[in-house]
Amino acid sequence: MHTRRLILEAAAELFNEYGYDATTIGGIIERTRLTRGGLYFHFASKEQLARAVLDEAAALDRVPAQALKLQEWVDLALLLAVRLPEDPLLGAAVRLSVDLRARRLLGSRWPQWVGAGESLLVEAKERGELLDHVEPPEVARLLAGAWTGIHLITETLPDGGLPQEISSFLELILPNVAHSGVLAKLDTSPHRAAALSSGRTAARLSP
């Protein structure tokens, strides 16, 4: 398992740096210092390796349970934002998903990410946390698209910080999503993102 993970992380780093087309099996072998046979024992092709990277990245971390499901939805967006610079697999999954040629070959993991957010929003609506006009599938797609766009812009800025930018975006849209009583209890701070990533979770919110 250690060797397989080593290969996945090396491939993810190269996909991040050079894209799918320019990444080669030879480059992955050079970075991992494995033999060609050692790599092919785990993965038969670059395509199979890229699919494995996408599959690993699609396994989203479970956020700590909260009394408000809308807080869990916020936490998911914040946790992904703070994980991205630290997790080459997640970074590669985003890079492969926005690469048109790679997406045509491999698909993307956006449906899984949208689905995870939608499930939380559906529960939030059932509990009366959302405004009546809010449709969970629409909001889930909006967040996934905006999150990706914010990431692509932020990584080009010298002072960009993804958790802060995602926090700001959530603060803008939540008044149009959450009932006022729920909105007052939500924590969208980028400091919360760091706590979630390190395993330090905020106290459960009271209903």
Side-chain angles (χ1 to χ4, degrees), residues 107-157:
S108 79
R109 291 305 175 263
W110 281 324
Q112 288 90 334
W113 293 334
V114 171
E118 183 179 338
S119 294
L120 292 171
L121 289 168
V122 167
E123 290 188 66
K125 186 157 190 178
E126 290 172 350
R127 295 181 179 201
E129 297 173 16
L130 307 186
L131 295 170
D132 292 344
H133 73 272
V134 172
E135 296 295 336
E138 294 177 2
V139 178
R141 289 194 299 270
L142 170 65
L143 179 63
W147 193 102
T148 304
I150 291 168
H151 160 57
L152 293 176
I153 292 173
T154 301
E155 68 177 355
T156 68
L157 303 177

Side-chain angles (χ1 to χ4, degrees), residues 5-179:
R5 184 72 183 188
L6 176 70
I7 296 169
L8 283 173
E9 290 186 354
E13 290 171 358
L14 290 171
F15 290 143
N16 265 324
E17 293 170 22
Y18 304 112
Y20 179 77
D21 283 345
T23 296
T24 64
I25 290 293
I28 297 169
I29 289 170
E30 181 179 352
R31 183 157 298 194
T32 58
R33 300 182 183 276
L34 293 172
T35 64
R36 189 169 293 268
L39 186 144
Y40 281 128
F41 175 79
H42 293 277
F43 300 100
S45 65
K46 182 175 76 170
E47 179 181 340
Q48 185 183 85
L49 185 48
R51 292 186 185 280
V53 167
L54 288 169
D55 288 342
E56 288 283 333
L60 297 174
D61 289 344
R62 291 186 62 85
V63 294
Q66 301 291 335
L68 294 173
K69 282 295 173 180
L70 197 53
Q71 181 67 63
E72 292 181 35
W73 180 72
V74 166
D75 288 349
L76 182 61
L78 292 173
L79 181 60
L80 287 174
V82 79
R83 268 190 54 202
L84 186 67
E86 305 167 354
D87 186 343
L89 295 171
L90 179 58
V94 175
R95 176 71 183 268
L96 292 169
S97 294
V98 299
D99 181 320
L100 181 59
R101 287 168 60 86
R103 190 165 70 246
R104 285 174 174 168
L105 176 65
L106 305 166
S108 79
R109 291 305 175 263
W110 281 324
Q112 288 90 334
W113 293 334
V114 171
E118 183 179 338
S119 294
L120 292 171
L121 289 168
V122 167
E123 290 188 66
K125 186 157 190 178
E126 290 172 350
R127 295 181 179 201
E129 297 173 16
L130 307 186
L131 295 170
D132 292 344
H133 73 272
V134 172
E135 296 295 336
E138 294 177 2
V139 178
R141 289 194 299 270
L142 170 65
L143 179 63
W147 193 102
T148 304
I150 291 168
H151 160 57
L152 293 176
I153 292 173
T154 301
E155 68 177 355
T156 68
L157 303 177
D159 58 347
L162 187 58
Q164 178 61 60
E165 297 296 328
I166 294 300
S167 172
S168 297
F169 175 73
L170 289 168
E171 290 177 3
L172 286 172
I173 68 167
L174 281 169
N176 295 304
V177 172
H179 278 293

